Amino acid sequence: MEFCPDCGAMLMPKKGKIKCTCGYEKSLSDDDLVEQYHMKGETNPETKVIVTDSNNVALPTTKITCYKCGGTKGYWWTVQTRSADEAPTNFIRCAKCGNTWRSSN
Ligand SMILES: [Zn+2]
Ligand SMILES: [Zn+2]
């Protein structure tokens, strides 16, 4: 599973490329494809079922205050930014309205 380093959305590779709704784009090298999507012996990455509906993924929950809807339950996950030297970024998603933002801590 790969996450967008810009907005935290889950990304689905398409024809050797990853494209996010926020505009983030990444070309996958052959090595990336082999490493990430052929690990379990698949020969065709198109046939692999990839969960893209992030609402179905079991993420840990946390107490939040959504600035959009005032919801108090949220999910969080961590994304390693483009540079491995940088600290990973935490993202929060409101369970009520789906609003997603970066965690400040
Ligand atoms: Zn994005
Ligand atoms: Zn909300």
Side-chain angles (χ1 to χ4, degrees):
M1 186 73 73
E2 189 138 348
F3 296 94
C4 174
D6 288 344
C7 73
M10 289 185 196
L11 303 174
M12 185 167 92
K14 244 181 198 170
K15 291 172 187 165
K17 220 176 180 187
I18 282 177
K19 203 170 178 181
C20 179
T21 48
C22 78
Y24 171 74
E25 218 175 301
K26 178 186 166 189
S27 292
L28 295 174
S29 69
D30 288 346
D31 285 348
D32 280 341
L33 286 169
V34 169
E35 202 181 297
Q36 291 175 32
Y37 305 110
H38 291 203
M39 281 243 267
K40 285 168 190 165
E42 283 108 343
T43 50
N44 182 359
E46 302 282 342
T47 61
K48 184 169 177 181
V49 177
I50 297 168
V51 179
T52 53
D53 184 354
S54 50
N55 292 323
N56 289 338
V57 178
L59 293 167
T61 57
T62 185
K63 205 168 182 296
I64 56 144
T65 306
C66 175
Y67 62 83
K68 265 191 184 170
C69 73
T72 54
K73 189 185 165 194
Y75 304 101
W76 67 269
W77 67 96
T78 302
V79 176
Q80 180 65 54
T81 46
R82 289 186 185 114
S83 162
D85 299 336
E86 289 172 36
T89 309
N90 290 324
F91 284 88
I92 309 272
R93 172 173 292 137
C94 173
K96 204 170 164 188
C97 73
N99 182 27
T100 305
W101 65 92
R102 281 169 198 255
S103 169
S104 51
N105 47 24

